[in-house]
Amino acid sequence: MNRMAPLLAALLVVASVATPAAAAVTADRTETQDAYAGAHVSYDVQGDAVVDYTVDNETMVESMRVESQSNYESRAGVSGEVDLDSVVELDGLGLDMGASTTTQATVQTEGAASIVTHDNEDGTLVVRGGENGQFVEAQVGSDAEAEAASDDRVVVETDNGTTGTFIVVGDGNVTVNEAGNVTAELGSDASLVFRESGEERTDGEKRVERMIANGTATAEVYVEEQGEQTVEDTVTYGQDTTVEAAQEGEHTVNMTVERTQSQGKVVVIHVAESVVDAGESAEVLVDGQAAARAQSVSELRAATQNGDESMYYVAQDASAQAEASTTVMVGFDHFSERTASIQGEETTDGDDSGSGMPGFGVTAALAALVGAALVAVRARS
């Protein structure tokens, strides 16, 4: 036993030193990981490309590269206006995984462009051109087909019928190049957006796509349950827009929208019924006052164009893949900082809004909520 004691002591010393070292290696790998896997979205970053971009287990993009227009023109020996159909095999910028939160992840680039992915039901991906013009090429899967729907939208459909749309916001256009891949040209401060539409691209999905492309919709907000946690994700399409959103209580979602420009815009909010059972009876307050309900998207859009008041529209057909959710569009008549509150359906017998406060109806209870401090999760795109 006496001979074994020194050996056991030595082994304990080695074990005590080896354990922290192993933990350090694991931590380093976590910090320098080149893959992302969320509740909806997963992908890898390999050198100069984002690869295997998957939404709800369906690979929508096999690889995507970004290259500055000036670098491409110099390398290809061309100048002036470039035929976008002929832009192929981009020499992509160097990429690395960047910071991530519960619902968002960034891909760092060596150039002015930025890439942000959103772990929401639409698997939203946003490429911003930055100060310099950029080309983007996205190679779709071998079992997928890409087709231009307009100068600012290309629709991708996989072999099993899952669809997604590439949308250009701002100064630029997108098409299908001669190799059958999606190619976009982004001017200064323009963006390329990808959104998955599930197995059916509804009229509501098409409507939202058009609103994003023409600048009517400046942001989308997603409120859903992931596991036992309620998460909020905000996607902004205008660089002058900031959105904060959070669930407030059991039946209310609050948000604050700031814009540096005064022109009115629409914010599209997707709320899971498991979080707030909104449905057709949803009510909306803007800046603490009950907003008028628009009967059509045209009426909603008019409210943002020098309208007399803000309005909202409940769109039940906005997404075929999110059957247990409600899409509410809020049209703000002007900015700079506005607040909105979405109230869901009553869920208790005979209670007006669950407030338990005598004399308080839905509107008064909501006004009290909006008057209270907003519990917000800041998400800048």
Side-chain angles (χ1 to χ4, degrees):
M1 293 293 292
N2 291 338
R3 292 181 180 178
M4 293 294 294
L7 177 58
L8 289 172
L11 290 174
L12 288 172
V13 170
V14 171
S16 66
V17 173
T19 300
V25 170
T26 301
D28 288 343
R29 288 176 178 172
T30 300
E31 292 173 359
T32 60
Q33 64 180 336
D34 56 4
Y36 174 86
H40 298 282
V41 172
S42 64
Y43 59 89
D44 295 336
V45 175
Q46 297 180 0
D48 63 351
V50 174
V51 300
D52 294 332
Y53 193 84
T54 301
V55 183
D56 291 331
N57 300 316
E58 184 72 20
T59 299
M60 302 302 300
V61 179
E62 286 195 351
S63 68
M64 185 186 71
R65 290 176 171 82
V66 182
E67 182 177 6
S68 70
Q69 293 180 24
S70 59
N71 189 73
Y72 176 84
E73 291 169 0
S74 175
R75 184 170 58 84
V78 297
S79 60
E81 187 173 348
V82 178
D83 184 0
L84 192 57
D85 295 348
S86 65
V87 175
V88 296
E89 298 182 357
L90 295 184
D91 186 4
L93 301 170
L95 304 178
D96 287 298
M97 286 295 300
S100 63
T101 64
T102 303
T103 59
Q104 298 184 23
T106 60
V107 178
Q108 297 176 335
T109 77
E110 292 180 349
S114 65
I115 302 172
V116 179
T117 62
H118 294 263
D119 190 33
N120 58 45
E121 65 188 31
D122 291 331
T124 312
L125 181 151
V126 181
V127 182
R128 298 194 188 278
E131 298 177 355
N132 303 320
Q134 309 285 340
F135 285 126
V136 183
E137 183 179 21
Q139 179 182 353
V140 300
S142 57
D143 64 342
E145 183 177 351
E147 182 178 357
S150 64
D151 289 342
D152 52 26
R153 280 170 292 146
V154 167
V155 178
V156 176
E157 183 173 356
T158 66
D159 190 47
N160 69 2
T162 303
T163 60
T165 306
F166 287 89
I167 308 165
V168 167
V169 183
D171 182 19
N173 54 76
V174 61
T175 190
V176 180
N177 65 18
E178 58 191 32
N181 299 326
V182 179
T183 305
E185 179 180 6
L186 304 180
S188 177
D189 296 329
S191 301
L192 177 67
V193 177
F194 173 79
R195 299 170 78 253
E196 195 230 31
S197 307
E199 296 183 359
E200 180 185 359
R201 184 166 164 258
T202 66
D203 290 340
E205 286 280 2
K206 298 174 185 177
R207 179 174 56 227
V208 173
E209 292 167 9
R210 290 193 297 269
M211 294 172 70
I212 294 171
N214 63 31
T216 300
T218 192
E220 285 187 278
V221 176
Y222 296 81
V223 184
E224 62 179 89
E225 283 189 336
Q226 293 184 4
E228 298 180 354
Q229 181 183 13
T230 298
V231 299
E232 302 86 13
D233 181 43
T234 60
V235 188
T236 57
Y237 302 119
Q239 295 194 18
D240 56 356
T241 303
T242 301
V243 181
E244 299 173 343
Q247 181 185 13
E248 180 78 17
E250 295 184 0
H251 314 300
T252 304
V253 171
N254 292 330
M255 68 178 183
T256 301
V257 185
E258 293 184 66
R259 297 192 75 240
T260 58
Q261 300 182 24
S262 62
Q263 179 185 2
K265 293 288 182 180
V266 171
V267 175
V268 182
I269 306 102
H270 309 276
V271 185
E273 291 180 4
S274 58
V275 178
V276 174
D277 191 6
E280 281 290 337
S281 64
E283 296 189 26
V284 175
L285 269 73
V286 174
D287 297 338
Q289 302 295 321
R293 180 164 179 165
Q295 299 304 309
S296 66
V297 175
S298 298
E299 186 179 4
L300 181 76
R301 188 182 298 112
T304 68
Q305 301 170 347
N306 299 317
D308 295 330
E309 59 180 346
S310 297
M311 304 187 75
Y312 73 98
Y313 177 78
V314 180
Q316 292 288 355
D317 64 340
S319 177
Q321 64 178 348
E323 296 179 357
S325 71
T326 301
T327 296
V328 180
M329 302 179 180
V330 180
F332 295 93
D333 57 342
H334 66 82
F335 282 97
S336 56
E337 181 177 327
R338 309 297 298 272
T339 63
S341 180
I342 299 174
Q343 173 72 37
E345 294 179 345
E346 301 171 5
T347 57
T348 56
D349 296 335
D351 289 350
D352 46 19
S353 65
S355 67
M357 302 175 68
F360 270 64
V362 172
T363 300
L366 281 171
L369 284 172
V370 174
L374 291 174
V375 180
V377 178
R378 179 169 295 273
R380 293 179 180 270
S381 173

